[in-house]
Amino acid sequence: MFKRISKYWWCQILGWGANAFLFLFFGFFFYQIDAAQVQYILSYCLLGILITHGFRAVIVKYKWIEKPFENVAIYFFFGILVCSIVDSFLLACISHFVLGQPDGDFKDSWMRAFFSQTIFMALWAVIYFLWHYVEESRNSQVGQLKLEATVRTLELKTIKSQLNPHFIFNALNSIRALVDENPRRARTAITELSNILRNSMQADKAETVSLENELSIVKDYLALENIRFEERLKVQYDIDPETLELPVPPLMLQTLVENAIKHGISREVNGGLILIGSHVHDMRHEITIRNTGQIVEDLNGNGFGLASTRQRLGILFGKRASFEIYNLDNAMVEAKVQMPIL
């Protein structure tokens, strides 16, 4: 039964009930009130509930809370004034004509009740307004967060849906080169590709994956590329074991390695080296991909792979993450990703 009572009625009953209890408590222990005064206090409590409930009905009907603050202040001021006049008048009538307690003339009783009820009505109005203001603010923030999460999810799905065809296209090109030249090795390449696709499909279901999972995709991809480049492609890993469980965006590492091969290794007559590193520095997860080659033009915004990396890092981590690519020296290029440790 109690579960069916709304928060509003609980606040009304407990608020006015506590007010009446304090009057009764001090009355019994300090003023020795009689039965008539007890009835007056109970009437005061009941009238407070009824009149403020009517006040609330007006607020809800005319949607005062949704109006500009200047208008709300004026409406509440006159609402408090009207409620105080009505409440104090009824209390004075009950005191004089029902309970027979003429404490001075009727006008004096009414004015005393008016000043006290104005204070209580103003307090009720302030609490009511603040409650709804905080509630509306909280709901607005929750709604904004849900909207941002939805937008972020859609953006990530869009980027991933673009990444997969982009990656598959490049992988199929690698296999096509082997079909006539070496069918047996082509079959091996197809097996490697199936492993990559299976892992990438699983990665699409999450916003982040562990570095260990991402490395397994990269190793399959490099095994596939090694069939094409043979001894021209050398790979080294410098992975801190403690970073294997850290989260990274799905296919990010594979995209950067693919970029290193496409724009670095494939353009070198003798091939080159790819060095993949992962460490923690100053409470930030730092991933580096170094490859033989040189940047001959500004790549800090060009190319789908690099742009998608920046987009996903921005969506997931905001300004707390960074990505840059530059010539490390006269022979090597370095791509560096820094992410906060969650």
Side-chain angles (χ1 to χ4, degrees), residues 96-201:
H96 275 259
F97 305 119
V98 178
L99 302 178
Q101 289 184 308
D103 184 12
D105 60 20
F106 182 82
K107 183 179 179 181
D108 290 339
S109 298
W110 185 5
M111 292 304 296
R112 285 197 301 270
F114 172 76
F115 286 116
S116 64
Q117 291 309 101
T118 300
I119 295 174
F120 287 121
M121 289 296 169
L123 181 61
W124 181 94
V126 168
I127 293 174
Y128 183 86
F129 176 79
L130 289 178
W131 172 278
H132 281 272
Y133 178 80
V134 172
E135 191 74 8
E136 286 294 325
S137 178
R138 187 181 67 85
N139 290 338
S140 176
Q141 290 177 352
V142 170
Q144 182 67 24
L145 289 173
K146 287 182 179 179
L147 178 61
E148 290 175 359
T150 301
V151 171
R152 187 176 73 170
T153 301
L154 290 175
E155 288 178 346
L156 285 173
K157 287 183 177 179
T158 300
I159 294 170
K160 289 177 186 177
S161 67
Q162 293 171 328
L163 268 175
N164 282 335
H166 183 265
F167 156 69
I168 293 171
F169 176 77
N170 289 327
L172 288 176
N173 275 341
S174 300
I175 296 174
R176 184 180 60 181
L178 296 174
V179 171
D180 295 328
E181 178 184 341
N182 194 329
R184 185 174 182 179
R185 297 179 82 179
R187 288 194 294 271
T188 302
I190 292 172
T191 301
E192 298 291 348
L193 177 59
S194 68
N195 291 336
I196 296 170
L197 292 177
R198 181 171 57 253
N199 288 329
S200 64
M201 289 175 65

Side-chain angles (χ1 to χ4, degrees), residues 26-258:
F26 286 103
F28 277 121
F29 287 97
F30 297 100
Y31 300 103
Q32 297 180 347
I33 60 176
D34 55 23
Q37 290 173 321
V38 171
Q39 291 177 330
Y40 176 81
I41 293 173
L42 295 178
S43 300
Y44 150 83
C45 178
L46 182 60
L47 276 176
I49 293 175
L50 293 176
I51 290 176
T52 52
H53 181 63
F55 189 15
R56 173 182 178 268
V58 173
I59 294 172
V60 173
K61 181 178 180 180
Y62 295 102
K63 300 180 180 179
W64 287 4
I65 299 295
E66 299 177 11
K67 298 184 183 299
F69 179 79
E70 295 80 5
N71 294 348
V72 171
I74 296 173
Y75 296 153
F76 268 73
F77 174 78
F78 285 104
I80 291 168
L81 190 63
V82 171
C83 288
S84 300
I85 291 172
V86 173
D87 193 17
S88 58
F89 177 78
L90 293 176
L91 284 174
C93 289
I94 292 173
S95 176
H96 275 259
F97 305 119
V98 178
L99 302 178
Q101 289 184 308
D103 184 12
D105 60 20
F106 182 82
K107 183 179 179 181
D108 290 339
S109 298
W110 185 5
M111 292 304 296
R112 285 197 301 270
F114 172 76
F115 286 116
S116 64
Q117 291 309 101
T118 300
I119 295 174
F120 287 121
M121 289 296 169
L123 181 61
W124 181 94
V126 168
I127 293 174
Y128 183 86
F129 176 79
L130 289 178
W131 172 278
H132 281 272
Y133 178 80
V134 172
E135 191 74 8
E136 286 294 325
S137 178
R138 187 181 67 85
N139 290 338
S140 176
Q141 290 177 352
V142 170
Q144 182 67 24
L145 289 173
K146 287 182 179 179
L147 178 61
E148 290 175 359
T150 301
V151 171
R152 187 176 73 170
T153 301
L154 290 175
E155 288 178 346
L156 285 173
K157 287 183 177 179
T158 300
I159 294 170
K160 289 177 186 177
S161 67
Q162 293 171 328
L163 268 175
N164 282 335
H166 183 265
F167 156 69
I168 293 171
F169 176 77
N170 289 327
L172 288 176
N173 275 341
S174 300
I175 296 174
R176 184 180 60 181
L178 296 174
V179 171
D180 295 328
E181 178 184 341
N182 194 329
R184 185 174 182 179
R185 297 179 82 179
R187 288 194 294 271
T188 302
I190 292 172
T191 301
E192 298 291 348
L193 177 59
S194 68
N195 291 336
I196 296 170
L197 292 177
R198 181 171 57 253
N199 288 329
S200 64
M201 289 175 65
Q202 293 174 352
D204 276 349
K205 299 177 182 179
E207 291 185 356
T208 60
V209 295
S210 67
L211 176 63
E212 185 175 17
N213 183 283
E214 184 75 355
L215 276 173
S216 67
I217 297 177
V218 169
K219 289 177 180 179
D220 284 334
Y221 172 75
L222 288 173
L224 176 63
E225 290 297 293
N226 191 58
I227 295 175
R228 181 160 66 106
F229 286 95
E230 297 180 339
E231 67 277 359
R232 293 177 58 218
L233 175 61
K234 298 179 177 60
V235 181
Q236 295 180 8
Y237 297 93
D238 181 19
I239 307 295
D240 185 344
E242 294 184 358
T243 65
L244 290 175
E245 296 302 318
L246 295 179
V248 296
L251 300 180
M252 182 193 71
L253 184 58
Q254 187 274 332
T255 301
L256 295 178
V257 171
E258 181 182 338

Side-chain angles (χ1 to χ4, degrees), residues 251-323:
L251 300 180
M252 182 193 71
L253 184 58
Q254 187 274 332
T255 301
L256 295 178
V257 171
E258 181 182 338
N259 184 77
I261 290 178
K262 181 179 179 180
H263 297 284
I265 305 300
S266 64
R267 296 182 179 182
E268 298 291 324
V269 176
N270 297 321
L273 169 69
I274 291 181
L275 174 61
I276 302 172
S278 174
H279 299 86
V280 173
H281 296 296
D282 299 326
M283 296 303 295
R284 291 168 66 82
H285 183 195
E286 183 177 287
I287 296 176
T288 56
I289 296 91
R290 296 179 181 176
N291 64 273
T292 302
Q294 285 287 279
I295 299 175
V296 295
E297 59 183 6
D298 181 18
L299 290 179
N300 269 320
N302 302 324
F304 173 76
L306 302 183
S308 68
T309 298
R310 286 192 176 85
Q311 285 179 321
R312 286 187 291 164
L313 287 172
I315 292 170
L316 291 172
F317 305 109
K319 295 182 179 179
R320 297 178 298 161
S322 65
F323 169 68

